[in-house]
mmCIF file of all heavy atoms in Angstrom:
data_model
loop_
_atom_site.group_PDB
_atom_site.id
_atom_site.type_symbol
_atom_site.label_atom_id
_atom_site.label_comp_id
_atom_site.label_asym_id
_atom_site.label_seq_id
_atom_site.Cartn_x
_atom_site.Cartn_y
_atom_site.Cartn_z
ATOM 1 N N ARG L 161 -2.127 -10.913 -16.616
ATOM 2 C CA ARG L 161 -3.604 -11.037 -16.629
ATOM 3 C C ARG L 161 -4.069 -12.439 -16.247
ATOM 4 O O ARG L 161 -4.896 -12.645 -15.351
ATOM 5 C CB ARG L 161 -4.136 -10.696 -17.995
ATOM 6 C CG ARG L 161 -4.495 -9.251 -18.202
ATOM 7 C CD ARG L 161 -5.173 -9.063 -19.537
ATOM 8 N NE ARG L 161 -5.132 -7.687 -19.904
ATOM 9 C CZ ARG L 161 -6.055 -6.766 -19.510
ATOM 10 N NH1 ARG L 161 -6.977 -7.156 -18.687
ATOM 11 N NH2 ARG L 161 -5.949 -5.512 -19.875
ATOM 12 N N ALA L 162 -3.561 -13.427 -16.957
ATOM 13 C CA ALA L 162 -4.016 -14.799 -16.770
ATOM 14 C C ALA L 162 -3.794 -15.216 -15.310
ATOM 15 O O ALA L 162 -4.712 -15.737 -14.638
ATOM 16 C CB ALA L 162 -3.335 -15.759 -17.710
ATOM 17 N N ASP L 163 -2.596 -14.965 -14.787
ATOM 18 C CA ASP L 163 -2.311 -15.409 -13.439
ATOM 19 C C ASP L 163 -3.182 -14.732 -12.432
ATOM 20 O O ASP L 163 -3.659 -15.320 -11.493
ATOM 21 C CB ASP L 163 -0.814 -15.143 -13.126
ATOM 22 C CG ASP L 163 0.133 -16.064 -13.879
ATOM 23 O OD1 ASP L 163 -0.362 -17.138 -14.266
ATOM 24 O OD2 ASP L 163 1.259 -15.671 -14.142
ATOM 25 N N LEU L 164 -3.353 -13.412 -12.632
ATOM 26 C CA LEU L 164 -4.172 -12.665 -11.667
ATOM 27 C C LEU L 164 -5.611 -13.031 -11.753
ATOM 28 O O LEU L 164 -6.291 -13.197 -10.700
ATOM 29 C CB LEU L 164 -3.992 -11.143 -11.904
ATOM 30 C CG LEU L 164 -2.583 -10.645 -11.595
ATOM 31 C CD1 LEU L 164 -2.397 -9.177 -12.079
ATOM 32 C CD2 LEU L 164 -2.293 -10.706 -10.059
ATOM 33 N N ASP L 165 -6.128 -13.218 -12.984
ATOM 34 C CA ASP L 165 -7.541 -13.596 -13.127
ATOM 35 C C ASP L 165 -7.764 -14.976 -12.536
ATOM 36 O O ASP L 165 -8.822 -15.243 -11.924
ATOM 37 C CB ASP L 165 -7.913 -13.621 -14.610
ATOM 38 C CG ASP L 165 -8.088 -12.228 -15.133
ATOM 39 O OD1 ASP L 165 -8.140 -11.275 -14.348
ATOM 40 O OD2 ASP L 165 -8.186 -12.050 -16.390
ATOM 41 N N ASN L 166 -6.758 -15.825 -12.671
ATOM 42 C CA ASN L 166 -6.949 -17.177 -12.109
ATOM 43 C C ASN L 166 -6.953 -17.176 -10.615
ATOM 44 O O ASN L 166 -7.739 -17.854 -10.015
ATOM 45 C CB ASN L 166 -5.763 -18.041 -12.656
ATOM 46 C CG ASN L 166 -5.933 -19.484 -12.249
ATOM 47 O OD1 ASN L 166 -6.954 -20.106 -12.558
ATOM 48 N ND2 ASN L 166 -4.961 -20.041 -11.577
ATOM 49 N N ARG L 167 -6.101 -16.354 -10.038
ATOM 50 C CA ARG L 167 -5.941 -16.377 -8.596
ATOM 51 C C ARG L 167 -7.005 -15.522 -7.923
ATOM 52 O O ARG L 167 -7.557 -15.886 -6.882
ATOM 53 C CB ARG L 167 -4.564 -15.865 -8.222
ATOM 54 C CG ARG L 167 -4.192 -15.963 -6.813
ATOM 55 C CD ARG L 167 -2.828 -16.661 -6.618
ATOM 56 N NE ARG L 167 -2.365 -16.441 -5.290
ATOM 57 C CZ ARG L 167 -2.940 -17.009 -4.228
ATOM 58 N NH1 ARG L 167 -4.038 -17.703 -4.377
ATOM 59 N NH2 ARG L 167 -2.441 -16.828 -2.994
ATOM 60 N N PHE L 168 -7.309 -14.361 -8.481
ATOM 61 C CA PHE L 168 -8.276 -13.424 -7.905
ATOM 62 C C PHE L 168 -9.278 -12.993 -8.991
ATOM 63 O O PHE L 168 -9.196 -11.883 -9.515
ATOM 64 C CB PHE L 168 -7.558 -12.186 -7.346
ATOM 65 C CG PHE L 168 -6.485 -12.553 -6.391
ATOM 66 C CD1 PHE L 168 -5.137 -12.263 -6.661
ATOM 67 C CD2 PHE L 168 -6.762 -13.135 -5.164
ATOM 68 C CE1 PHE L 168 -4.128 -12.571 -5.782
ATOM 69 C CE2 PHE L 168 -5.754 -13.432 -4.254
ATOM 70 C CZ PHE L 168 -4.431 -13.166 -4.554
ATOM 71 N N PRO L 169 -10.225 -13.857 -9.315
ATOM 72 C CA PRO L 169 -11.109 -13.590 -10.450
ATOM 73 C C PRO L 169 -11.859 -12.293 -10.284
ATOM 74 O O PRO L 169 -12.438 -12.021 -9.277
ATOM 75 C CB PRO L 169 -12.089 -14.787 -10.402
ATOM 76 C CG PRO L 169 -11.370 -15.865 -9.649
ATOM 77 C CD PRO L 169 -10.495 -15.139 -8.667
ATOM 78 N N GLY L 170 -11.829 -11.519 -11.340
ATOM 79 C CA GLY L 170 -12.566 -10.253 -11.375
ATOM 80 C C GLY L 170 -11.830 -9.085 -10.750
ATOM 81 O O GLY L 170 -12.202 -7.919 -10.971
ATOM 82 N N PHE L 171 -10.805 -9.400 -10.030
ATOM 83 C CA PHE L 171 -10.074 -8.384 -9.310
ATOM 84 C C PHE L 171 -9.425 -7.375 -10.249
ATOM 85 O O PHE L 171 -9.643 -6.127 -10.154
ATOM 86 C CB PHE L 171 -9.072 -8.956 -8.315
ATOM 87 C CG PHE L 171 -8.301 -7.891 -7.557
ATOM 88 C CD1 PHE L 171 -8.846 -7.175 -6.569
ATOM 89 C CD2 PHE L 171 -6.959 -7.637 -7.956
ATOM 90 C CE1 PHE L 171 -8.103 -6.221 -5.917
ATOM 91 C CE2 PHE L 171 -6.239 -6.711 -7.298
ATOM 92 C CZ PHE L 171 -6.801 -5.959 -6.279
ATOM 93 N N LEU L 172 -8.590 -7.893 -11.139
ATOM 94 C CA LEU L 172 -7.819 -6.986 -12.009
ATOM 95 C C LEU L 172 -8.735 -6.116 -12.883
ATOM 96 O O LEU L 172 -8.521 -4.957 -13.044
ATOM 97 C CB LEU L 172 -6.890 -7.803 -12.924
ATOM 98 C CG LEU L 172 -5.966 -6.988 -13.800
ATOM 99 C CD1 LEU L 172 -5.077 -6.053 -12.959
ATOM 100 C CD2 LEU L 172 -5.087 -7.905 -14.693
ATOM 101 N N ASP L 173 -9.814 -6.756 -13.380
ATOM 102 C CA ASP L 173 -10.747 -6.007 -14.164
ATOM 103 C C ASP L 173 -11.355 -4.839 -13.439
ATOM 104 O O ASP L 173 -11.484 -3.755 -13.914
ATOM 105 C CB ASP L 173 -11.857 -6.902 -14.709
ATOM 106 C CG ASP L 173 -11.413 -7.773 -15.907
ATOM 107 O OD1 ASP L 173 -10.417 -7.358 -16.558
ATOM 108 O OD2 ASP L 173 -12.044 -8.770 -16.172
ATOM 109 N N SER L 174 -11.700 -5.085 -12.183
ATOM 110 C CA SER L 174 -12.329 -4.026 -11.395
ATOM 111 C C SER L 174 -11.304 -2.952 -11.064
ATOM 112 O O SER L 174 -11.607 -1.746 -11.014
ATOM 113 C CB SER L 174 -12.964 -4.571 -10.119
ATOM 114 O OG SER L 174 -11.982 -4.821 -9.127
ATOM 115 N N VAL L 175 -10.045 -3.353 -10.863
ATOM 116 C CA VAL L 175 -9.007 -2.373 -10.631
ATOM 117 C C VAL L 175 -8.845 -1.484 -11.834
ATOM 118 O O VAL L 175 -8.761 -0.257 -11.725
ATOM 119 C CB VAL L 175 -7.676 -3.038 -10.245
ATOM 120 C CG1 VAL L 175 -6.522 -2.054 -10.298
ATOM 121 C CG2 VAL L 175 -7.775 -3.703 -8.877
ATOM 122 N N ILE L 176 -8.726 -2.147 -12.977
ATOM 123 C CA ILE L 176 -8.485 -1.392 -14.234
ATOM 124 C C ILE L 176 -9.683 -0.453 -14.503
ATOM 125 O O ILE L 176 -9.488 0.717 -14.884
ATOM 126 C CB ILE L 176 -8.281 -2.361 -15.346
ATOM 127 C CG1 ILE L 176 -6.928 -3.040 -15.188
ATOM 128 C CG2 ILE L 176 -8.358 -1.640 -16.739
ATOM 129 C CD1 ILE L 176 -6.678 -4.172 -16.116
ATOM 130 N N ALA L 177 -10.880 -0.983 -14.330
ATOM 131 C CA ALA L 177 -12.048 -0.177 -14.553
ATOM 132 C C ALA L 177 -12.067 1.025 -13.618
ATOM 133 O O ALA L 177 -12.340 2.175 -14.003
ATOM 134 C CB ALA L 177 -13.332 -0.970 -14.400
ATOM 135 N N SER L 178 -11.692 0.802 -12.359
ATOM 136 C CA SER L 178 -11.708 1.887 -11.394
ATOM 137 C C SER L 178 -10.573 2.846 -11.663
ATOM 138 O O SER L 178 -10.738 4.043 -11.565
ATOM 139 C CB SER L 178 -11.562 1.317 -9.995
ATOM 140 O OG SER L 178 -12.658 0.522 -9.673
#
Side-chain angles (χ1 to χ4, degrees):
Chain L
R161 269 187 198 276
D163 290 336
L164 293 170
D165 284 349
N166 185 56
R167 186 129 168 65
F168 307 113
F171 176 76
L172 185 58
D173 281 341
S174 80
V175 168
I176 290 170
S178 298

